Amino acid sequence: MKHTPLFTMLAGTALAFTFAASPAHAASASKDKQPSLYPNATRAEPKLDLTSEKEQKALNEGLDAVNSGDKAKAQQLLQPIVDGSKSKYAQAIALQGLANVAYNAGDIKGAIPLLQKSIDNGVMPNDTYFQLMFELAQMYAADQQYQASLDTIAKWRAEGKRETADSYGLAGMDDYRLEKYPDAIAAIQKAKTLTDKPQDSWNQILMASYAESGQGADAAKMAQAEYEKNPSDSGMLHNASAVLLQQQDYADAIKVLEQGRANGALKDEGDWINLVKAYLLQAQNGGDTKSGSAKALAAFDDGVAKGAIKPSADNYKLAGDAAMIGEDDAKAIGYYEKGSPLATDGEVDMSLGGAYFQEQKFSDARKVLTQAIAKGVKHKGRAYMMLAESDRQLKDKAGAVAAMKQAAQDPETAAKAQDWLQKSGK
């Protein structure tokens, strides 16, 4: 994907194999035969060609071994049937069993050709044949072969003349992964019309597809609606707040996150940090900066107290920045000082230096700015200019000139630094 997903998407598709019954199994159930799942299929029912009782017994034992997780026994019983049976049906059933063995062992790429060969034998009853075709589509999806999965679903639907919610749900996931967002939206919407119990993952795909296709308002509306159905669900809280933030709807994002904070659904550190950021973004986009800063810091301190927000350089820098936005330099210094020893670069120290300067603590500013430059900062020229100003306030003219000469070497600050040097006769 080219983007960073807003939602936690399924890494793959869980497969639930339903074994085709060999004749012995089928005979025991023949008295209570169920209606066909594919009564309108275009495929004619084939005639089964398994006549050997020995092979029939081996198939039954092999499938039982697969079901019990006995890989060695399953392979010992089923592989000879694949290699030497005269019955295509027996070979197909054995291949299906071996495909399941491979899948259970985590070998999806090995399972796919086995299952495909089982289907290609063409001798299974329709219910089994189409069940395996759908399982093949699921395997392709699990192997990230999304177009192959879509093609297999299309074939399954065309030949089997059947539509199910699960098939459209799977197609929607495939379309999303292929960045075919309008198709994903259509597939998931169709899936939801075919069941009264839609999967949670379908809603995630639908919301993400809305967001990625420029229909952010629809995504936000849906995210809020899904969260309101279960406001104690942390996953729904995350999805709703994430899409609202992407839509720059800070007020509603705050509302959702504060509701989760009140009812205990706000658990993830990232969501706590998003609450802090939402208050700041709201304040910086037309809101009251001092009020927004205070609310952001209250949420931050609460998260720290509850152990949800962990001590880190980034987190303390965020809190310090929030205090600076609220023009509380002293409080900002306290947060930055906590973050400084945790930082691997000089960014926190650079911010701390700026706060010290604002408080006219020029000696402290010079010390931490020198430390920031030594540790490494993104805007080195700016750091040197602040250092120069600190030196100037400390009447250290030589130090100020030396720092400003360093600032003059950075393209970002070269013009201002050179102008300062010229006016100082340097």
Side-chain angles (χ1 to χ4, degrees):
M1 304 293 290
K2 298 177 182 177
H3 57 282
T4 302
L6 285 173
F7 308 102
T8 306
M9 303 300 297
L10 298 180
T13 303
L15 307 186
F17 279 81
T18 303
F19 281 111
S22 68
H25 290 105
S28 64
S30 60
K31 294 180 181 178
D32 188 28
K33 187 175 181 180
Q34 298 296 316
S36 172
L37 295 173
Y38 301 88
N40 301 315
T42 61
R43 175 180 181 263
E45 288 275 9
K47 183 178 179 181
L48 306 187
D49 62 355
L50 177 58
T51 58
S52 168
E53 291 186 5
K54 182 178 180 181
E55 282 190 350
Q56 179 176 298
K57 181 181 178 182
L59 274 177
N60 290 343
E61 291 178 355
L63 295 182
D64 288 340
V66 174
N67 283 327
S68 65
D70 191 338
K71 177 181 176 180
K73 184 176 180 180
Q75 290 177 323
Q76 180 184 7
L77 290 166
L78 297 177
Q79 191 62 54
I81 296 174
V82 172
D83 294 337
S85 177
K86 295 181 180 179
S87 166
K88 286 189 174 183
Y89 178 77
Q91 288 180 325
I93 295 293
L95 283 164
Q96 181 201 5
L98 292 175
N100 190 243
V101 168
Y103 178 79
N104 288 340
D107 183 12
I108 299 176
K109 290 189 181 297
I112 287 173
L114 290 170
L115 192 58
Q116 182 67 71
K117 190 173 181 181
S118 173
I119 294 169
D120 289 345
N121 266 16
V123 295
M124 289 189 175
N126 276 354
D127 280 4
T128 304
Y129 174 85
F130 287 113
Q131 173 66 18
L132 296 190
M133 189 182 295
F134 189 72
E135 287 175 1
L136 179 62
Q138 291 178 297
M139 276 195 181
Y140 277 132
D143 195 42
Q144 300 182 18
Q145 297 186 54
Y146 303 117
Q147 189 57 56
S149 177
L150 281 172
D151 293 342
T152 305
I153 294 169
K155 182 179 180 183
W156 172 86
R157 196 174 288 139
E159 294 182 3
K161 298 299 180 184
R162 189 177 181 210
E163 294 187 335
T164 65
D166 286 343
S167 71
Y168 281 103
L170 179 57
M173 189 272 286
D174 291 335
D175 285 323
Y176 175 81
R177 295 298 190 184
L178 292 170
E179 300 183 18
K180 297 161 64 176
Y181 304 122
D183 290 343
I185 290 169
I188 297 299
Q189 287 177 335
K190 177 70 173 178
K192 293 177 74 171
T193 67
L194 297 174
T195 180
D196 57 358
K197 295 181 180 179
Q199 296 182 24
D200 289 340
S201 62
W202 299 351
N203 288 328
Q204 292 176 7
I205 293 166
L206 185 54
M207 284 186 283
S209 298
Y210 278 139
E212 296 296 344
S213 61
Q215 301 179 60
D218 289 326
K221 182 178 179 180
M222 181 179 176
Q224 280 185 284
E226 290 299 318
Y227 172 65
E228 292 299 332
K229 291 177 184 177
N230 191 357
S232 63
D233 188 312
S234 296
M236 291 297 180
L237 168 68
H238 173 78
N239 289 348
S241 60
V243 73
L244 288 166
L245 285 171
Q246 187 189 54
Q247 284 297 108
Q248 299 180 16
D249 186 350
Y250 306 125
D252 281 334
I254 289 169
K255 179 182 177 182
V256 166
L257 289 165
E258 283 290 11
Q259 184 177 353
R261 182 183 177 192
N263 65 25
L266 187 63
K267 298 176 181 178
D268 182 75
E269 182 180 29
D271 291 332
W272 275 91
I273 293 299
N274 279 344
L275 176 57
V276 176
K277 290 180 177 178
Y279 275 122
L280 294 181
L281 289 166
Q282 184 184 52
Q284 291 174 307
N285 288 270
D288 183 327
T289 54
K290 288 192 175 182
S291 174
S293 170
K295 291 176 180 177
L297 291 175
F300 181 86
D301 291 341
D302 187 30
V304 171
K306 291 177 177 175
I309 297 179
K310 307 301 181 185
S312 74
D314 287 342
N315 288 344
Y316 282 123
K317 185 178 185 305
L318 174 64
D321 292 347
M324 291 293 285
I325 290 171
E327 300 179 8
D328 190 339
D329 301 331
K331 184 171 283 189
I333 287 171
Y335 289 118
Y336 290 142
E337 285 180 337
K338 289 180 179 180
S340 175
L342 303 176
T344 58
D345 58 28
E347 296 301 326
V348 177
D349 286 330
M350 185 169 169
S351 296
L352 178 57
Y356 278 141
F357 190 91
Q358 290 289 103
E359 289 286 283
Q360 299 185 17
K361 296 181 177 181
F362 303 119
S363 293
D364 291 330
R366 178 166 62 181
K367 179 181 177 180
V368 296
L369 287 168
T370 301
Q371 181 174 297
I373 293 167
K375 290 169 73 174
V377 291
K378 295 176 182 176
H379 301 284
K380 199 171 185 178
R382 294 184 196 176
Y384 272 116
M385 289 195 75
M386 280 199 292
L387 178 59
E389 288 299 324
S390 298
D391 284 334
R392 189 173 69 83
Q393 293 293 333
L394 292 167
K395 310 302 182 184
D396 183 356
K397 187 174 181 181
V401 170
M404 200 60 77
K405 285 182 177 179
Q406 290 292 329
Q409 296 179 28
D410 188 328
E412 184 182 14
T413 53
K416 288 184 178 180
Q418 288 167 1
D419 182 63
W420 188 96
L421 289 166
Q422 287 176 359
K423 289 179 180 179
S424 301
K426 303 296 181 180

